[in-house]
């Protein structure tokens, strides 16, 4: 009872980004699981603690817990937890360009596991992450290959908008603006259908960017202002920063320094 009680209390704190309190409860939970020699419970909590260290930027501690979780999961042959640990290790390595190759290596191992489990959501996440690594390296054809795989995995889910945006950005880099516009429009339509305000704002911002690049400044202004309103409603500072940068460029093109 106590092991699970502390685990669930920790989960509640974690979801509210209260990492110190989550850590305290998960540490308690871990010691109870260890007393019971419950390997599955131990592996689960080790993975959770690893996630906290990752969020706090302590990558060596994160990897220590994640590798322990992986070892314990392999010991009991828990395919689901093995795959989760591999994904989490990959995402730690994805943070630094120097360890991109290691990230891809762990993601591909996780992908094999997830395909066996037919877990489409996780397959989508993995191929999306691999695509982002290739995009970060400027290898846009490989990025596109993996983003298209993510598009198949995420069909009719809330994550599809994010994939359409990634694909749109690749076509922007290839200077194929009509195709980029089509994907950003699909991202917007999907976000509206799923009532995802954040992705509505992102898609509008990206559409405005395409209009700006192709010299349609009046239309760009219209879309930036729509995106600005949504971003203000959500209090999304990162989106607003991008939007204001775009607006500044657009206003200078319109020779309107208001």
């Amino acid at each position: 009872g106590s092991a699970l009680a502390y685990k669930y209390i920790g989960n509640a704190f974690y979801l509210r980004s209260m990492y110190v309190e989550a850590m305290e409860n998960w540490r308690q939970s871990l010691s109870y699981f260890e007393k019971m020699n419950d390997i599955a419970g131990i592996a689960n909590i080790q993975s959770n603690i690893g996630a906290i260290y990752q969020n706090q930027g302590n990558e060596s501690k994160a990897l220590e817990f994640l590798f322990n979780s992986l070892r314990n999961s392999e010991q009991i042959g828990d395919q689901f937890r093995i795959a989760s640990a591999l994904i989490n290790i990959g995402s730690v390595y994805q943070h630094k360009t120097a360890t991109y190759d290691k990230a891809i290596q762990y993601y591909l191992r996780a992908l094999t596991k997830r395909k066996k489990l037919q877990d489409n959501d996780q397959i989508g996440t993995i191929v999306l992450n691999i695509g982002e690594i290739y995009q970060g390296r400027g290898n846009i054809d490989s990025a596109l290959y993996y983003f298209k795989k993510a598009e198949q995995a995420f069909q009719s889910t809330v994550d599809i908008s994010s994939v359409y945006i990634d694909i749109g950005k690749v076509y922007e880099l290839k200077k194929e603006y009509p195709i980029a516009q089509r994907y950003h429009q699909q991202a917007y339509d999907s976000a509206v259908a799923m009532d995802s305000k954040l992705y509505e704002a992102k898609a509008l911002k990206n559409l405005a960017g395409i209009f700006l690049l192709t010299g349609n400044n009046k239309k760009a202004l219209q879309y930036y202002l729509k995106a600005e309103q949504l971003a203000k409603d959500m209090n999304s500072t990162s989106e607003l920063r991008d939007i204001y940068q775009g607006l500044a460029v657009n206003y200078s093109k319109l020779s309107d320094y208001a």
Side-chain angles (χ1 to χ4, degrees):
S2 297
L4 285 174
Y6 280 115
K7 173 186 161 175
Y8 292 132
I9 296 167
N11 291 359
F13 281 123
Y14 183 78
L15 289 171
R16 292 161 67 192
S17 302
M18 295 168 75
Y19 299 137
V20 175
E21 295 83 352
M23 181 73 88
E24 282 168 11
N25 282 279
W26 282 343
R27 291 264 186 199
Q28 292 276 9
S29 175
L30 183 59
S31 68
Y32 279 107
F33 278 128
E34 284 171 344
K35 278 175 198 157
M36 297 186 290
N37 199 28
D38 180 334
I39 306 294
I42 292 168
N44 177 213
I45 300 296
Q46 285 171 329
S47 182
N48 291 357
I49 292 174
I52 290 185
Y53 280 125
Q54 185 181 350
N55 291 340
Q56 292 174 331
N58 189 337
E59 291 179 3
S60 60
K61 258 321 203 188
L63 288 170
E64 179 193 321
F65 275 87
L66 292 170
F67 276 117
N68 283 334
S69 176
L70 178 60
R71 266 192 295 277
N72 282 317
S73 304
E74 284 174 338
Q75 188 186 324
I76 55 171
D78 184 334
Q79 297 305 315
F80 183 83
R81 292 219 184 286
I82 292 170
S84 297
L86 291 168
I87 292 170
N88 293 335
I89 291 166
S91 79
V92 174
Y93 284 135
Q94 191 179 344
H95 277 252
K96 290 198 176 90
T97 36
T99 50
Y100 271 174
D101 283 333
K102 277 186 176 174
I104 290 175
Q105 191 186 327
Y106 281 94
Y107 282 145
L108 291 174
R109 279 177 65 190
L111 194 58
T112 311
K113 299 275 178 205
R114 286 301 190 202
K115 279 181 176 166
K116 282 180 188 158
L117 295 165
Q118 296 183 323
D119 183 342
N120 256 6
D121 251 13
Q122 288 290 348
I123 289 169
T125 302
I126 296 164
V127 290
L128 195 58
N129 289 349
I130 295 173
E132 283 169 1
I133 291 174
Y134 280 119
Q135 191 173 17
R137 281 182 158 167
N139 190 336
I140 53 179
D141 289 323
S142 293
L144 193 56
Y145 171 80
Y146 281 100
F147 288 154
K148 293 277 194 182
K149 282 186 175 299
E151 184 184 359
Q152 289 164 1
F154 281 141
Q155 275 308 324
S156 13
T157 71
V158 74
D159 297 297
I160 192 68
S161 293
S162 130
V163 181
Y164 286 147
I165 285 172
D166 277 332
I167 295 174
K169 284 179 179 168
V170 170
Y171 280 113
E172 248 176 82
L173 291 169
K174 287 162 86 77
K175 297 193 165 33
E176 294 181 30
Y177 298 126
I179 303 176
Q181 184 182 332
R182 194 170 73 232
Y183 273 101
H184 289 314
Q185 185 63 50
Q186 276 182 275
Y188 177 73
D189 295 340
S190 303
V192 170
M194 299 283 182
D195 196 29
S196 168
K197 300 289 180 221
L198 176 63
Y199 281 103
E200 280 180 47
K202 281 179 186 286
L204 287 167
K205 172 190 78 180
N206 287 311
L207 281 163
I210 297 282
F211 294 131
L212 183 60
L213 285 167
T214 53
N216 192 339
N217 300 103
K218 286 209 166 86
K219 205 156 189 184
L221 177 62
Q222 200 184 325
Y223 277 74
Y224 274 131
L225 293 176
K226 269 200 220 172
E228 180 194 19
Q229 193 52 59
L230 279 169
K232 275 183 174 170
D233 293 345
M234 288 181 296
N235 198 18
S236 173
T237 47
S238 60
E239 289 306 311
L240 282 169
R241 191 176 57 238
D242 290 350
I243 290 161
Y244 289 138
Q245 280 174 349
L247 275 169
V249 175
N250 200 49
Y251 277 128
S252 69
K253 293 264 174 70
L254 286 165
S255 306
D256 176 3
Y257 296 96

